[in-house]
Amino acid sequence: MTTTVAVADGIFEIRDGKPVLLGTRCTNCDNHMYPRQTGCPRCLFNEQEDVELATEGTLWTWTVQAFPPKSPPYLGPVGDDFVPYGVGYVELPGQLRVEGRLTISDPDQLQIGMPMELVLDPLTVDEDGNQVVTYAFAPKNENGDPS
Amino acid sequence: MSDVAIVGIGMHEFGRHDGISGMDQGVTAVRRALADCGQQWSAMEFAVGGSMDGGAADTMVSRIGLTGLPFTNVVNGCATGGTALAQAVNTIQSGAGDLGIAIGFDKHEKGAFRIRGPRGKDWYGGSGLALTTQFFGMKINRYMHQYGITQPTLAKVGAKAFRNGALNPMAWRRKPLSEQEVAESLMLSYPLTQYMFCSPGEGGVAMVLCRADKAKEYTDRPIYLKAAAVRTRKFGSFEVLAPSIAIEHDPGPTAAASKAAFEMAGIGPEDVDVAQLQDTEAGAEIMHMAENGFCEHGEQEQMLANGETEINGRLPVNTDGGCLANGEPIGASGLRQVYENVLQLRGDAGERQVPNDPKVAYTHVYGAPGISGVTILSR
């Protein structure tokens, strides 16, 4: 059976088949940071606590990666196997805007302000046969119907 | 601030030059700048130089003269050239030297600017997020949504750049392209196409500066530096290669550098006759028009439709073809803008000369990870 592993430790955790982003909250000014870091660039305070970020938000802006990135560092398929992907910032209410891949790459299906939710996104299979995944944002299906 | 003057300028052609190193191009620029004001290298009391991929600037003294002068290397990303200029200005203002030279040059491979992840194991690059092109697509896409800028306007900026580049013998891309050709070229990062992006390139620029009260000893047409300001990003600014950004909004380092420069010069945007604004891609030029105070957000759509930023328009922008037609050799790019403005203020810009005797000229560079440099020149 294939094991699913995160592209790196400390960025997100996989829980019930979904990613949970690992952030930091400044205990002085409530500023949220991602990925985790020490030191708050907003209030310059240096005491933070680890938090899990919201898993849903709205699309703040987006683009489409239409050509293969250099590999390395890119872990996904390149050359003839390259698949264009969306990239965007999703605003997590009251926290911050997080950059991530989007499961949609058709400009006609992407709109600023649309509700989004976090999902796992497969990148590659590593040398041990594990499925390496990153996180991505997918349009949120309000009715819960299969999309 | 008007106690520093530019008396000599030199440039090595921008583009790709097989067999000519970045350092070679810097040396050529230095020799041309010295010849422009009739000076020898031995007269230089100090030098400030920078390059990202072309080697340590100070090693060029083994070719142009081991005179023992203090030579400072600067590296400051896309603002390297602008920082070299600012340091030369500081040196003169502090009294440490009366006559010196600022140098910027570079040579990048095709598709250079490989980005590594922000930290640790490279989850960012691994996930396909470490591309500066994505930021530019996302910033202008948001801007278009907010302020009603349309895709044909992006194509207008590209076509203008190549039209102006065709008039510039030092430019890399000298073939005019129609708005249609720009719009229909390969889509790289929505909404930006191939010909809306600049490319890493090669080139060199140098300029001789001196105390303003001594300028007439070196040239009968000195250009005075009224302001030089560099600013970095503040909290809430939307910048390149950021895994997250704050919801709180800051207008960014360009607005801050612009405000500081106008205050230093004691003038306003309405006094500027010609401007060179960072156009890493077509959308950047549009956004930077507003961030630098030349219009309100959204007015660009009508300004471009009216041709106001053409060479013969109300506010000519990127008269030498900008980064789009010249490419971006990081170390030289900011100084290229100043070089173009000196030509325009001298009335030496040839076929692309801005009419009506321009008196005040403005430059703006922007780059990763959120840095802007502005200069204001006057006759």
Side-chain angles (χ1 to χ4, degrees):
Chain A
M1 183 182 140
T2 309
T3 308
T4 299
V5 296
V7 62
D9 294 333
I11 302 300
F12 61 92
E13 281 178 2
I14 302 171
R15 203 174 300 155
D16 300 331
K18 300 228 170 176
V20 178
L21 300 181
L22 305 178
T24 310
R25 188 186 79 88
C26 175
T27 56
N28 183 51
C29 78
D30 198 40
N31 177 39
H32 284 67
M33 293 159 272
Y34 169 79
R36 285 182 174 159
Q37 70 171 56
T38 54
C40 176
R42 182 170 181 269
C43 73
L44 320 180
F45 202 67
N46 197 26
E47 280 183 35
Q48 285 79 39
E49 63 177 14
D50 290 345
V51 291
E52 292 178 357
L53 298 178
T55 57
E56 296 176 5
T58 53
L59 189 59
W60 188 71
T61 189
W62 58 273
T63 185
V64 175
Q65 181 60 37
F67 61 93
K70 283 182 181 142
S71 177
Y74 184 51
L75 295 171
V78 291
D80 291 343
D81 297 329
F82 173 70
V83 182
Y85 54 91
V87 176
Y89 282 88
V90 170
E91 183 165 321
L92 308 179
Q95 297 184 338
L96 76 176
R97 299 176 185 131
V98 168
E99 186 184 24
R101 291 165 67 100
L102 307 176
T103 57
I104 302 288
S105 62
D106 176 1
D108 292 337
Q109 295 183 45
L110 289 165
Q111 270 186 331
I112 288 171
M114 68 195 281
M116 307 291 280
E117 62 183 346
L118 275 168
V119 296
L120 292 177
D121 196 6
L123 283 172
T124 187
V125 175
D126 71 14
E127 52 210 18
D128 300 324
N130 299 316
Q131 176 68 62
V132 178
V133 296
T134 188
Y135 66 90
F137 291 99
K140 184 166 185 281
N141 192 327
E142 300 285 4
N143 304 321
D145 296 334
S147 48
Chain B
M1 181 181 127
S2 58
D3 35 10
V4 176
I6 298 170
V7 293
I9 57 172
M11 176 182 279
H12 184 282
E13 291 77 355
F14 277 41
R16 290 209 197 284
H17 311 290
D18 289 343
I20 305 175
S21 73
M23 187 76 73
D24 290 336
Q25 297 175 50
V27 168
T28 298
V30 167
R31 295 196 197 286
R32 288 176 176 169
L34 292 170
D36 185 52
C37 57
Q39 293 299 303
Q40 300 292 321
W41 178 251
S42 53
M44 296 300 108
E45 296 168 29
F46 68 92
V48 188
S51 174
M52 190 167 90
D53 291 338
D58 65 319
T59 61
M60 69 166 59
V61 293
S62 64
R63 294 167 58 185
I64 48 180
L66 295 165
T67 60
L69 87 173
F71 195 129
T72 306
N73 290 326
V74 296
V75 179
N76 206 2
C78 298
T80 293
T83 304
L85 185 67
Q87 290 306 311
V89 169
N90 288 345
T91 304
I92 291 168
Q93 287 181 324
S94 74
D98 290 347
L99 179 69
I101 189 163
I103 307 159
F105 57 90
D106 243 314
K107 184 182 183 87
H108 309 294
E109 299 295 318
K110 189 169 186 294
F113 310 155
R114 178 174 298 213
I115 308 296
R116 286 174 187 83
R119 68 163 75 171
K121 191 172 169 186
D122 191 3
W123 68 275
Y124 193 69
S127 300
L129 301 176
L131 292 97
T132 55
T133 40
Q134 294 170 350
F135 163 76
F136 294 115
M138 287 190 282
K139 187 176 174 194
I140 188 63
N141 199 16
R142 172 84 195 169
Y143 195 85
M144 290 163 77
H145 172 81
Q146 268 188 301
Y147 297 111
I149 305 293
T150 63
Q151 279 184 296
T153 297
L154 299 178
K156 278 188 170 60
V157 171
K160 171 175 71 68
F162 296 114
R163 199 158 53 239
N164 292 353
L167 302 176
N168 176 6
M170 305 303 264
W172 177 8
R173 302 188 188 283
R174 304 204 54 209
K175 181 172 162 263
L177 291 172
S178 68
E179 287 170 32
Q180 191 181 353
E181 286 172 299
V182 172
E184 291 177 1
S185 63
L186 199 64
M187 182 63 79
L188 292 186
S189 196
Y190 184 92
L192 300 168
T193 65
Q194 180 179 3
Y195 294 132
M196 293 177 188
F197 274 106
C198 83
S199 305
E202 305 173 21
V205 183
M207 46 197 65
V208 178
L209 299 102
C210 74
R211 255 174 59 174
D213 59 354
K214 296 193 170 186
K216 290 286 171 87
E217 294 175 26
Y218 308 107
T219 179
D220 51 5
R221 293 182 303 167
I223 301 299
Y224 299 99
L225 209 53
K226 308 300 281 187
V230 175
R231 290 290 186 275
T232 59
R233 66 198 186 284
K234 290 168 115 174
F235 185 75
S237 181
F238 180 26
E239 303 295 342
V240 65
L241 299 172
S244 68
I245 53 176
I247 293 174
E248 206 168 302
H249 174 74
D250 179 85
T254 292
S258 176
K259 185 164 177 286
F262 278 124
E263 279 172 10
M264 220 180 273
I267 60 168
E270 65 283 1
D271 300 308
V272 172
D273 299 312
V274 55
Q276 317 298 333
L277 307 179
Q278 179 80 26
D279 59 333
T280 319
E281 37 76 33
E285 177 173 312
I286 291 170
M287 294 183 284
H288 289 152
M289 286 165 62
E291 289 180 13
N292 283 290
F294 294 111
C295 63
E296 295 298 321
H297 293 296
E299 285 181 357
Q300 301 97 322
E301 183 79 5
Q302 195 57 48
M303 288 176 75
L304 268 292
N306 296 345
E308 291 179 36
T309 55
E310 299 288 335
I311 285 171
N312 59 2
R314 183 174 66 82
L315 177 71
V317 173
N318 292 332
T319 48
D320 66 350
C323 290
L324 291 179
N326 287 280
E328 194 179 14
I330 294 289
S333 202
L335 290 177
R336 168 186 57 75
Q337 299 176 323
V338 179
Y339 179 97
E340 171 68 4
N341 276 351
V342 171
L343 286 184
Q344 291 288 351
L345 294 177
R346 284 177 176 177
D348 283 350
E351 282 187 275
R352 63 183 192 284
Q353 177 65 47
V354 168
N356 303 322
D357 211 13
K359 291 176 182 61
V360 177
Y362 185 98
T363 70
H364 158 257
V365 285
Y366 166 82
I371 182 166
S372 280
V374 168
T375 73
I376 298 172
L377 306 185
S378 77
R379 277 193 284 138

